[in-house]
Amino acid sequence: MALLEIKKAGDPVLKKICAPVEKIDKRLRKLLDNMAETMYASEGVGIAAPQIGESIRAVVVDVDKKNRYDLINPVITYREGSVVDNEGCLSCPDLFGDVERAEKIRVEYTSRFGKKKTLEAEGLLARCIQHELDHLDGRLFIDIAKNITKGRKEKSD
Ligand code: ZN
């Protein structure tokens, strides 16, 4: 496995609409493993392929270091509720901001072995998936966040 360079805001690859993944093979699985390793090394909970310079519809998320999801060609097919919370992004070091997201979602995707799957998510996992899927459409959280701060806001108590 290998650590990959994370592209930072301002890099044009982060603004592109990513292409669907056409071929699920060893090369793709290796890329997903390298994305995961890069995410864990950076203390992130999610990473999207364009963040490492590959403009394809693939993301890796793991919000509890126990359940890693590799989502290929993911599509959100159901959303419920809305909740505002503070987010950051590996491509926007040291920036944080409040983003409104659906509270619960259902996402359909293809697994790393080519199986069609459905995942229901809520809380941090739902937030993370929505954040990563935005990357696939060239959208960064700083494009939609409110109250952007440098450094994480201190909680008062
Ligand atoms: Zn991000």
Side-chain angles (χ1 to χ4, degrees), residues 30-42:
K30 190 173 172 210
L31 180 77
L32 291 163
D33 290 340
N34 287 337
M35 282 168 59
E37 196 187 4
T38 303
M39 173 186 82
Y40 291 128
S42 314

Side-chain angles (χ1 to χ4, degrees), residues 36 39-40 44-46 59-71 109 119-121 124-126 128-129:
M39 173 186 82
Y40 291 128
V45 292
V59 310
V60 175
V61 298
D62 185 347
V63 297
D64 57 11
K65 298 212 167 96
K66 272 185 257 169
N67 298 290
R68 170 179 151 193
Y69 296 97
D70 295 358
L71 310 178
Y109 65 99
L119 173 64
E120 313 232 340
L124 181 59
L125 181 59
C128 182
I129 291 171

Side-chain angles (χ1 to χ4, degrees), residues 46-48 51 87-92 131-132 135 139-141:
I47 191 167
Q51 291 184 277
E87 288 185 17
C89 177
L90 296 178
S91 293
C92 313
H131 175 117
E132 299 314 326
H135 277 297
R139 196 158 46 239
L140 295 176
F141 90 100

Side-chain angles (χ1 to χ4, degrees), residues 52-82:
I52 49 87
E54 293 275 346
S55 194
I56 57 169
R57 303 189 83 80
V59 310
V60 175
V61 298
D62 185 347
V63 297
D64 57 11
K65 298 212 167 96
K66 272 185 257 169
N67 298 290
R68 170 179 151 193
Y69 296 97
D70 295 358
L71 310 178
I72 299 163
N73 298 333
V75 178
I76 294 173
T77 55
Y78 175 77
R79 297 166 200 265
E80 186 184 312
S82 105

